Amino acid sequence: MKVLDKTISQLTIPTPFAVGDVHVYLLKGDTLSIIDAGVKTKEGWEALKTQLNELGYTPNDVEQVILTHHHPDHIGLIEAFPRAETMAAHRNADLYLTRDETFFAEYEQFFRQFFVACGVSGELMPGPGELGGTLKFAGTGKLTDTLDEGDRLPGHDDWQVIETKGHAQSHLSFFRESDGALIAGDHLLHHISPNPLLEAPIGSDVRPKPMLQYRNNLKKCQSLDIQMVYPGHGRIFSDVNDVISVSLQKQERRAEKVYTFLQEKAQTPFELCQQLFPKQYENQLNLTMSETIGQLDYLENEGLVTTTLKNGVYVYDVTK
Ligand SMILES: [Zn+2]
């Protein structure tokens, strides 16, 4: 636990995921809010209670829950605050919080069709329910308030909402202009570049392109005067523009590698994925396909590659 200033403290909650600990933030203003809520495990709950106590509070004192995005390591303990009447996040988070059955069915159908069109071999196709494997660590609930670009956090007028989709289609960050502090969720991390993850479209037929969103939102952050980043994982940092430049460059280098593979021969996304991640693609299909599609979306947007549909499967080639 770290007291950052008079109004904000950082609590650190263990997770069973590879990413390690997750940070949540307690915000004091006209009301007492918690930003993000760790994972739903016994260890997570104990860590949350203990650190709230160290700050002189109990879970009963928390009046609002605000979320940066819908991933399980950020929404686990949303049910742990009996007096919190407000739950606020991007509207896309609500489908996950409420476990909207229609949405989950469409989600699985989208991925099955999309993976077929990417050339993924049959035995690797996710079975029913497989995509929601980590949901047991996530809490359930319903949003009372939706937040969008430019809104102010309820009860904390000094914090402005910045839409930062990419890692998730519900991702928001919160910016305080007075001192340039940014509560960044997983959009800006010091030690790792967050994965722009593929998600099914919400309320449209066109799939989102998370890598392009992520890059645009990195550039959006470059244009803000951010002095300090309070992230969802890893250390607090102030060298924001360096971290952003490094992330952009790393991504461009990965895209160059994909481009080199395509110069050799035209390929399906799945063939590229196998070349890029020979050891990981079988066990981490979603993650490795997200990364592959992300680089292809970037190259296509730059006009460097084109795609054609052959027998129902996308084939990418360098622009001739
Ligand atoms: Zn996270």
Side-chain angles (χ1 to χ4, degrees):
M1 187 272 294
K2 279 192 190 119
V3 177
L4 303 172
D5 65 39
K6 283 205 293 284
T7 62
I8 180 165
S9 299
Q10 182 191 59
L11 289 65
T12 301
I13 316 279
T15 82
F17 304 130
V19 70
D21 294 347
V22 63
H23 304 305
V24 311
Y25 293 89
L26 191 74
L27 211 56
K28 273 184 266 183
D30 298 339
T31 152
L32 188 70
S33 302
I34 195 144
I35 299 191
D36 286 350
V39 279
K40 192 155 81 180
T41 60
K42 191 170 172 295
E43 295 76 19
W45 170 232
E46 291 300 330
L48 177 76
K49 262 193 313 189
T50 307
Q51 292 171 62
L52 279 175
N53 283 341
E54 286 166 17
L55 291 164
Y57 295 105
T58 73
N60 272 314
D61 297 318
V62 174
E63 294 166 297
Q64 296 196 124
V65 178
I66 297 169
L67 302 170
T68 60
H69 63 297
H70 70 267
H71 289 166
D73 50 334
H74 299 258
I75 67 167
L77 296 165
I78 55 174
E79 295 148 276
F81 310 101
R83 285 186 52 240
E85 285 180 358
T86 301
M87 182 139 62
H90 189 279
R91 70 173 60 78
N92 288 350
D94 205 40
L95 297 162
Y96 295 89
L97 301 179
T98 59
R99 305 287 193 277
D100 187 290
E101 279 182 30
T102 312
F103 171 66
F104 276 83
E106 285 170 5
Y107 196 96
E108 292 198 347
Q109 198 194 0
F110 164 81
F111 270 94
R112 274 196 296 273
Q113 287 174 351
F114 184 65
F115 279 173
V116 167
C118 286
V120 173
S121 53
E123 71 270 17
L124 287 178
M125 291 298 282
E130 242 175 76
L131 290 166
T134 55
L135 280 178
K136 67 173 183 222
F137 297 110
T140 55
K142 180 146 191 54
L143 293 183
T144 59
D145 292 44
T146 59
L147 300 174
D148 226 323
E149 175 84 14
D151 288 349
R152 301 272 155 186
L153 288 186
H156 309 275
D157 255 10
D158 45 343
W159 289 88
Q160 189 189 341
V161 176
I162 313 285
E163 187 252 281
T164 46
K165 287 180 186 175
H167 177 63
Q169 293 305 312
S170 59
H171 206 294
L172 301 173
S173 301
F174 309 120
F175 183 55
R176 184 166 61 185
E177 298 105 318
S178 60
D179 66 347
L182 185 81
I183 298 171
D186 288 358
H187 179 56
L188 294 174
L189 301 173
H190 196 266
H191 59 309
I192 42 169
S193 296
N195 303 302
L197 293 170
L198 276 176
E199 285 183 38
I202 296 173
S204 116
D205 290 338
V206 187
R207 76 170 170 87
K209 296 188 170 172
M211 183 66 84
L212 302 183
Q213 295 171 317
Y214 171 64
R215 283 183 59 90
N216 285 338
N217 288 324
L218 283 179
K219 289 177 184 167
K220 190 200 283 185
C221 286
Q222 268 177 332
S223 72
L224 300 172
D225 189 16
I226 300 169
Q227 296 297 322
M228 197 63 78
V229 173
Y230 300 142
H233 307 275
R235 70 177 176 85
I236 293 171
F237 59 96
S238 58
D239 51 341
V240 189
N241 284 338
D242 290 347
V243 168
I244 292 174
S245 308
V246 168
S247 294
L248 288 168
Q249 283 163 16
K250 262 195 211 159
Q251 185 268 316
E252 286 156 19
R253 278 204 298 275
R254 291 202 198 107
E256 273 167 35
K257 193 170 162 188
V258 173
Y259 185 77
T260 317
F261 288 150
L262 288 177
Q263 277 179 315
E264 287 162 22
K265 63 173 194 306
Q267 301 191 52
T268 68
F270 183 56
E271 286 168 336
L272 276 167
C273 181
Q274 289 170 295
Q275 265 193 287
L276 287 166
F277 305 102
K279 293 201 183 80
Q280 297 107 313
Y281 79 90
E282 280 178 280
N283 294 326
Q284 301 192 59
L285 185 67
N286 266 345
L287 212 62
T288 55
M289 280 299 287
S290 286
E291 170 71 19
T292 308
I293 294 290
Q295 303 305 352
L296 289 170
D297 285 345
Y298 168 77
L299 290 170
E300 190 174 30
N301 188 56
E302 294 291 306
L304 295 167
V305 305
T306 50
T307 173
T308 44
L309 205 56
K310 282 186 190 145
N311 304 321
V313 177
Y314 294 115
V315 178
Y316 284 79
D317 200 353
V318 294
T319 307
K320 297 278 175 347

